[in-house]
Amino acid sequence: MYNKDGDNMKKLAIISEFNPFHNGHKYLIEQARRIIKPDLAVSLMSGDFVQRGEAAIIDKFARANVSLACGFDLVIEMPNFISLQSAEFFAYKSCELLDKIGITYIAFGIENMDPDDFLTYVSEIISNDSKIEKLTRKFINENYSFTEARYLALKEFLSSDDFISSNNILALEYMRSISKLNSQIKALPIRRMGANNSDLLVEDKNFASSTAIRMNLNRDIRNLMPKESNESLNYFFSNHKKADYDLLLDIFKYKLLIKNDSMEEILCYEEGMDNFFRKLLSSNLTYDTFINACKSQRHSKSRMKRLMLNYILDNKKDLNELNYNFIKVLAFNNEARQYFREINEKIKVVMRKSDTKKLDSSELIIYESMIKSSNLYSLLSRRDLFLDYKNPIKIQKNL
């Protein structure tokens, strides 16, 4: 039950993809709940496309219901213009939204070190932010991608690579964002169990990264995830096709080569990319060969994938400047009802199409982009269109 004094309500959030939800995620929410004892646990979850620029292995509705069954009270869909950006913007815009909705704690996984050591590193990095930015720009000018430049800058500054992993860098960006926002959100780093985020092999009987699980779907992976997640995965695969990336490439080619839509204002775009793509696409490439041909020291595969999706969805850079005050709910239980009443004056809660009447013009742009993203996923996976209007949101009763 909630504390009577609303100002003292503990609201915990985890920024997530759950692609798919595995035992490491269950450990994270269980540990965070044990330490914080929150009145409400929120998952701000990527929709049908994730930060790597790929379609989620199962859709947002399935992942949201699993999240609710495994420890969360409320699952909010992250606007796709946030999920389809680099770690820096992904973290900042996510934390900005969580700050708006009154979150008091954010928990995240870290790798290779204890939380206290992590916080020491982060404090040193943030207090020397200008030096890090200068080093990052130096490596960018040497034609490295932003991600690689950030890695190299941190390695040079710290004179060590103990801290450096994709998970720790994202966690650092969360804390940097909280600092920039001057937010009251408190950070709770929790060390990952069993496997690191980038591990490709399944080497532990109970823990594996999401990447390793996705790469080993033909094996028995039941021990690596909660029962609800495994059942959801099997059900989704028995009723839907995996995303057709060659179809995605055809849609991209249609927009670029036939419609000739401009790419200049699109998120993740850099001058000259459109002409480069046109030259490559003059050959009959598959999606995989196209992405491999695009990769360079300066441009990662993930960035190219995100750019493709942002271009198809018409996600322009000015989305980052829009002010919006709504959340799109994917799943919730009874604990969230009181929270909806608490934020009613500040934040618009969207659960069904009729709720969009409350949105202003800027908010409608973001909401409609989320619907377009959902429909694109439907096309790629042979799922029904406009499921956001058809899928009733399930209210899970408290155990």
Side-chain angles (χ1 to χ4, degrees):
M1 297 296 293
Y2 273 84
N3 299 322
K4 292 180 181 179
D5 182 356
D7 290 340
N8 291 328
M9 290 179 183
K10 293 180 180 180
K11 294 178 280 289
L12 166 73
I14 293 176
I15 300 168
S16 60
E17 291 183 342
F18 299 148
N19 187 33
F21 196 108
H22 55 63
N23 289 342
H25 298 135
K26 187 81 184 302
Y27 175 81
L28 177 62
I29 182 59
E30 287 176 346
Q31 288 297 103
R33 273 192 172 278
R34 180 184 64 81
I35 295 167
I36 301 299
K37 297 179 175 57
D39 299 296
L40 186 78
V42 178
S43 167
L44 175 59
M45 190 185 77
S46 299
D48 287 325
F49 295 95
V50 298
Q51 207 248 343
R52 291 167 63 94
E54 297 174 355
I57 193 167
I58 61 174
D59 73 16
K60 62 187 180 184
F61 306 110
R63 288 180 289 125
N65 288 332
V66 170
S67 303
L68 215 64
C70 292
F72 289 91
D73 303 306
L74 171 63
V75 184
I76 298 169
E77 181 177 351
M78 182 186 296
N80 64 78
F81 82 92
I82 297 177
S83 60
L84 295 175
Q85 295 205 59
S86 66
E88 179 185 20
F89 286 98
F90 176 93
Y92 184 83
K93 299 302 290 186
S94 295
C95 290
E96 183 181 57
L97 177 56
L98 293 178
D99 187 61
K100 282 183 179 181
I101 65 175
I103 295 300
T104 47
Y105 293 88
I106 177 175
F108 45 78
I110 57 170
E111 298 170 340
N112 305 323
M113 61 180 61
D114 292 326
D116 287 343
D117 293 334
F118 172 83
L119 292 173
T120 299
Y121 272 113
V122 167
S123 177
E124 184 179 1
I125 290 167
I126 291 178
S127 63
N128 288 276
D129 209 35
S130 61
K131 292 181 181 179
I132 305 292
E133 290 300 323
K134 187 175 180 180
L135 284 170
T136 302
R137 286 194 298 272
K138 182 191 82 168
F139 287 113
I140 288 174
N141 290 336
E142 293 175 9
N143 221 31
Y144 286 96
S145 68
F146 175 82
T147 302
E148 286 293 327
R150 181 70 88 194
Y151 273 87
L152 293 169
L154 288 171
K155 184 176 181 179
E156 183 170 320
F157 174 75
L158 297 171
S159 301
S160 167
D161 59 2
D162 292 344
F163 175 87
I164 300 172
S165 73
S166 58
N167 227 49
N168 288 359
I169 297 297
L170 185 56
L172 165 64
E173 294 297 347
Y174 291 148
M175 297 198 64
R176 193 198 304 270
S177 299
I178 290 169
S179 177
K180 286 181 180 177
L181 290 163
N182 195 26
S183 172
Q184 297 303 305
I185 295 175
K186 297 179 178 65
L188 177 65
I190 295 174
R191 187 166 184 170
R192 288 176 67 102
M193 288 289 290
N196 288 337
N197 187 54
S198 60
D199 288 351
L200 303 181
L201 300 177
V202 178
E203 298 181 326
D204 186 287
K205 66 179 182 179
N206 293 313
F207 291 96
S209 71
S210 295
T211 303
I213 291 173
R214 292 194 303 272
M215 293 180 68
N216 288 275
L217 292 174
N218 58 337
R219 294 177 53 182
D220 185 355
I221 54 174
R222 286 174 294 178
N223 290 339
L224 302 175
M225 59 183 67
K227 176 175 67 71
E228 298 88 346
S229 185
N230 186 64
E231 289 175 353
S232 182
L233 202 66
N234 291 332
Y235 178 82
F236 191 83
F237 286 159
S238 65
N239 288 275
H240 301 88
K241 293 185 177 180
K242 290 183 181 179
D244 185 342
Y245 285 102
D246 287 330
L247 175 57
L248 182 71
L249 181 64
D250 285 342
I251 297 169
F252 180 71
K253 286 194 286 189
Y254 173 76
K255 281 204 69 168
L256 184 65
L257 302 180
I258 298 173
K259 284 192 71 182
N260 198 30
D261 288 349
S262 173
M263 194 179 280
E264 290 185 2
E265 297 303 316
I266 298 297
L267 286 168
C268 301
Y269 172 79
E270 190 173 297
E271 187 177 359
M273 283 180 170
D274 45 353
N275 292 328
F276 175 61
F277 292 154
R278 287 188 178 95
K279 289 178 182 177
L280 285 178
L281 293 171
S282 61
S283 301
N284 190 24
L285 301 176
T286 65
Y287 175 85
D288 288 337
T289 54
F290 174 67
I291 293 297
N292 286 330
C294 289
K295 183 182 181 300
S296 67
Q297 178 175 284
R298 187 173 182 85
H299 301 130
S300 67
K301 287 184 182 181
S302 293
R303 179 173 178 175
M304 295 299 99
K305 293 174 183 179
R306 290 194 294 266
L307 175 57
M308 284 182 70
L309 289 168
N310 282 319
Y311 180 61
I312 290 170
L313 296 170
D314 200 33
N315 285 342
K316 294 184 169 64
K317 295 172 184 176
D318 57 9
L319 282 169
N320 282 331
E321 308 305 319
L322 293 181
N323 182 41
Y324 68 100
N325 295 285
F326 79 92
I327 55 172
K328 185 173 182 296
V329 174
L330 290 174
F332 69 99
N333 64 19
N334 287 329
E335 289 295 333
R337 290 181 181 273
Q338 175 63 30
Y339 173 67
F340 294 150
R341 288 192 284 269
E342 176 197 336
I343 65 171
N344 187 47
E345 298 299 319
K346 301 176 182 177
I347 300 293
K348 302 158 190 172
V349 177
V350 177
M351 297 191 194
R352 56 191 69 85
K353 190 176 182 180
S354 59
D355 292 332
T356 62
K357 295 176 182 177
K358 301 179 287 187
L359 305 182
D360 64 26
S361 57
S362 293
E363 292 164 343
L364 275 172
I365 290 171
I366 293 170
Y367 178 82
E368 287 168 0
S369 177
M370 296 164 83
I371 300 300
K372 282 196 290 185
S373 176
S374 183
N375 283 334
L376 176 61
Y377 187 92
S378 291
L379 288 175
L380 301 180
S381 61
R382 301 295 189 270
R383 186 184 69 172
D384 287 348
L385 292 170
F386 295 102
L387 278 184
D388 295 78
Y389 303 152
K390 300 173 184 176
N391 261 17
I393 296 177
K394 294 179 182 178
I395 307 170
Q396 181 169 302
K397 293 182 180 180
N398 298 358
L399 298 177

